[in-house]
Amino acid sequence: MRSQTFDVLVVGGGVVGAGTALDAATRGLSTALVEARDWASGTSSRSSKLIHGGLRYLEMLDFALVAEALKERGLILTRLAPHLAQPVKFLYPLTHRGWERPYVAAGVTLYDLMARAGGYGAGLPFHRHLTRTQALRAAPALKKDALVGAVQYYDGQLDDARHTMNIVRTASAYGARVASRTRVVGFLREGERVVGVRVRDLEHGEEFEVHAQQVVNATGVWTDETQAMVGERGQFKVRASKGIHLVVPRDRIQSTTGMILRTEKSVLFVIPWGRHWIVGTTDTDWDLDKAHPAASATDIDYLLEHVNSVLATPLTREDVEGVYAGLRPLLSGESDSTSKLSREHVVAHPAPGLVVVAGGKYTTYRIMAKDSIDEVARALDFRVAACCTDEVPLLGAEGYRAAWNGRARTAARTGLHVARVEHLLRRYGSMADDVLALCTSDPALGRPLPGADDYLCGEVVYAASHEGARHLDDVLARRTRISIETWDRGVTAAPHVARLMAGVLGWSPAQQEKEVAHYEARVAAERASQTQTDDETADAVRLGAPEIVPLS
């Protein structure tokens, strides 16, 4: 990175920063991307795992945002990442006779029609109306008196952390220079102009300069802090809204469909997730530590209370396998309530050589990236090609359909169960062959990972060798979702994962022990924080576990 002046340097390795780097690289621009921690380690690994237009934004009459998001949902499902995304059906229980069904039907019909008008909605079935008997047949977990009928509709789902990491890998494949655990510590100026950044390699402690004609600040909830380093007053402010999610075993809620429930502030989702359900989310202001937002006991009780209002057999704290909290970057100034703040995005050019992008929602990351590089292009002194990322499949997407159709043959060839092959295809797409090749070369890698048998040992090795995983937390929390999918939150698997990573990264036994100890401390701090009743105390307890690689 220090050997050239780039056309574009992107700061921030969440989904927007990753998408911006991919957009720039596929327009033929020399591109660099830096991230202070791991890819998607902030907001982009802690979402509801949905790609959707947002029914509640339709109710707010934000038609443009919904139409844009529905088009992007269709693109991701059908062209850009069909191996990482799939349709998911939701049940919307109706609680009032008469007026509610036509009201909801009008909104969901418009939702479906807008998706089709965007050109990519044909892959999802049209919504359908259910009687109470039909709804209870689809979701026996519901109380009989919790609904008078229902509407069932479809949206999309994907693993956000893997998706973001895959965008980074795709940008790298198109020539971008990408570096995680590389923190921006200052901006370089020539007069008023921003000409690059000074970064610290957090793994080795070295500082160096990276020069670029244009720098894009895509740091999400850290936007204000990054702008402060430039010395420029922001044209807008970004507020953080905390959303927490619970993960519970699939057998705790008897249902063949996801559910969407109204709350007094927003909506609550019950989302199928492999052998689990994800229940979320909350929507509260957060002004404490942004790297590790903490879920308090109050947050957890809020979700349990609302979901239990419709369940015949209530969930308890003992049913909760995992908990995670994330922060939404909201443009502030429009409302006192975070649930009413804008999910629109803004692109600004606050100083020569600096572009800032903020706001938005996960589903529309590609549009935010396009708008950012369009703004960059206006400031460059040569003609820049138009955005083409709507036609650029992510790594693993090309050939995925054929690989899926041939999964039975792959299972027979490798000796794996077909369900295991399907698991690999949904995580790696056509690149599943690379993981299978590892397992063929070393049969031990084809065995289930101890303590997390949904995954193969070979997936850990692949994460370290191909997917940029540098530390134990990267694998347990983001390359896999073991940290939220197992009762012990990955503690049993941790030493086995450390040993597998050590073979790739050259860790000594002492480094392996250090990695495991840090991970165990993180889990203990998270569990303790989730017993605290308020955000301040929960935050203080969570910060008791230090980073494996300090940010300072």
Side-chain angles (χ1 to χ4, degrees):
M1 285 187 176
R2 64 184 103 190
S3 65
Q4 69 180 99
T5 297
F6 292 94
D7 295 326
V8 183
L9 166 66
V10 183
V11 181
V15 71
V16 175
T20 301
L22 177 60
D23 190 290
T26 53
R27 296 198 202 198
L29 299 175
S30 59
T31 306
L33 169 66
V34 293
E35 159 59 38
R37 297 188 292 154
D38 183 30
W39 310 117
S41 57
T43 300
S44 297
S45 59
R46 308 178 191 195
S47 74
S48 297
K49 325 291 184 219
L50 295 176
I51 41 170
H52 60 140
L55 269 177
R56 71 186 181 101
Y57 302 118
L58 199 60
E59 195 171 30
M60 295 175 184
L61 307 182
D62 201 340
F63 299 115
L65 176 64
V66 174
E68 183 178 76
L70 286 172
K71 180 179 178 181
E72 294 304 306
R73 180 192 74 177
L75 270 173
I76 293 168
L77 282 166
T78 60
R79 182 185 296 174
L80 304 184
H83 57 310
L84 299 175
Q86 54 274 328
V88 59
K89 56 186 176 182
F90 285 102
L91 195 75
Y92 187 111
L94 303 172
T95 57
H96 299 90
R97 296 188 184 279
W99 65 270
E100 191 179 18
R101 187 180 290 277
Y103 176 76
V104 172
V108 180
T109 300
L110 182 58
Y111 196 67
D112 286 342
L113 292 175
M114 289 172 77
R116 281 153 178 74
Y120 298 97
L124 295 182
F126 213 67
H127 74 276
R128 66 192 190 106
H129 288 266
L130 303 179
T131 64
R132 180 163 68 175
T133 300
Q134 290 171 322
L136 291 171
R137 193 176 299 134
L142 291 173
K143 293 177 183 175
K144 291 183 179 179
D145 61 356
L147 71 167
V148 296
V151 175
Q152 191 170 65
Y153 75 100
Y154 285 77
D155 249 322
Q157 178 183 58
L158 90 174
D159 185 327
D160 49 6
R162 290 200 60 77
H163 178 245
T164 297
M165 176 274 299
N166 224 320
I167 298 171
V168 176
R169 286 191 70 189
T170 306
S172 178
Y174 280 98
R177 300 285 180 261
V178 304
S180 61
R181 299 242 159 53
T182 305
R183 185 186 182 196
V184 171
V185 294
F187 284 76
L188 307 177
R189 304 287 287 258
E190 288 182 2
E192 290 297 306
R193 186 172 189 81
V194 174
V195 295
V197 297
R198 185 164 188 80
V199 299
R200 180 179 298 129
D201 174 355
L202 297 177
E203 296 283 0
H204 305 100
E206 184 183 4
E207 287 193 11
F208 58 94
E209 295 180 350
V210 183
H211 293 265
Q213 294 194 54
Q214 294 286 312
V215 176
V216 179
N217 175 5
T219 52
V221 293
W222 287 273
T223 298
D224 294 353
E225 289 87 338
T226 311
Q227 286 301 97
M229 276 195 276
V230 190
E232 294 290 333
R233 285 195 64 212
Q235 298 174 11
F236 46 81
K237 293 291 184 183
V238 174
R239 271 173 67 184
S241 164
K242 183 179 69 168
I244 84 144
H245 296 79
L246 310 180
V247 182
V248 300
R250 196 66 178 262
D251 62 5
R252 297 302 193 273
I253 301 176
Q254 296 298 316
S255 179
T256 61
T257 175
M259 290 176 271
I260 177 172
L261 313 170
R262 276 191 175 278
T263 68
E264 66 276 7
K265 291 183 179 179
S266 183
V267 293
L268 183 76
F269 287 101
V270 180
I271 306 162
W273 179 257
R275 297 197 297 176
H276 317 269
W277 296 99
I278 292 175
V279 180
T281 180
T282 58
D283 198 340
T284 55
D285 214 9
W286 180 264
D287 57 7
L288 301 168
D289 179 65
K290 293 177 180 174
H292 301 290
S296 68
T298 303
D299 294 326
I300 295 169
D301 290 342
Y302 172 87
L303 288 181
L304 290 175
E305 177 188 343
H306 280 77
V307 74
N308 284 341
S309 68
V310 299
L311 294 180
T313 304
L315 297 176
T316 68
R317 288 290 292 264
E318 287 68 40
D319 294 320
V320 177
E321 272 182 301
V323 182
Y324 65 93
L327 301 177
R328 305 174 192 86
L330 304 179
L331 300 176
S332 68
E334 296 123 38
S335 170
D336 291 333
S337 167
T338 59
S339 61
K340 294 180 182 175
L341 288 177
S342 177
R343 296 311 298 271
E344 297 278 6
H345 67 272
V346 170
V347 176
H349 221 136
L354 178 67
V355 170
V356 183
V357 56
K361 59 201 292 282
Y362 192 104
T363 306
T364 56
Y365 80 90
R366 196 190 64 81
I367 300 298
M368 297 174 70
K370 171 187 177 297
D371 291 350
S372 300
I373 299 303
D374 284 348
E375 187 66 29
V376 164
R378 283 190 275 272
L380 294 174
D381 56 5
F382 56 89
R383 186 177 178 276
V384 177
C387 173
C388 65
T389 51
D390 59 337
E391 299 175 350
V392 178
L394 300 187
L395 293 182
E398 205 72 57
Y400 164 68
R401 301 289 185 200
W404 180 262
N405 292 340
R407 63 194 184 277
R409 287 201 315 275
T410 301
R413 173 171 56 84
T414 60
L416 295 173
H417 192 281
V418 69
R420 184 74 73 178
V421 174
E422 291 176 354
H423 159 90
L424 293 174
L425 288 170
R426 286 191 177 118
R427 285 171 49 76
Y428 305 95
S430 55
M431 294 188 297
D433 282 344
D434 297 340
V435 181
L436 291 169
L438 283 174
C439 299
T440 301
S441 65
D442 181 356
L445 297 181
R447 296 176 187 147
L449 181 65
D453 59 8
D454 281 352
Y455 299 91
L456 297 178
C457 293
E459 295 184 71
V460 175
V461 172
Y462 187 80
S465 63
H466 287 70
E467 296 181 339
R470 301 294 305 274
H471 295 280
L472 193 55
D473 189 63
D474 301 347
V475 171
L476 291 170
R478 286 173 292 278
R479 303 306 182 276
T480 71
R481 306 324 281 267
I482 293 169
S483 66
I484 59 170
E485 292 175 345
T486 57
W487 287 106
D488 67 356
R489 306 197 183 179
V491 169
T492 300
H496 302 282
V497 173
R499 179 180 54 80
L500 290 163
M501 294 181 73
V504 179
L505 302 176
W507 289 348
S508 65
Q511 177 67 19
Q512 293 180 52
E513 290 177 11
K514 179 183 176 184
E515 292 279 342
V516 172
H518 269 80
Y519 185 77
E520 289 174 344
R522 168 203 146 139
V523 171
E526 285 182 348
R527 285 190 183 279
S529 70
Q530 290 157 16
T531 65
Q532 309 304 313
T533 56
D534 61 88
D535 283 349
E536 288 75 13
T537 312
D539 178 66
V541 171
R542 174 61 185 88
L543 291 178
E547 293 267 5
I548 184 69
V549 179
L551 288 172
S552 57

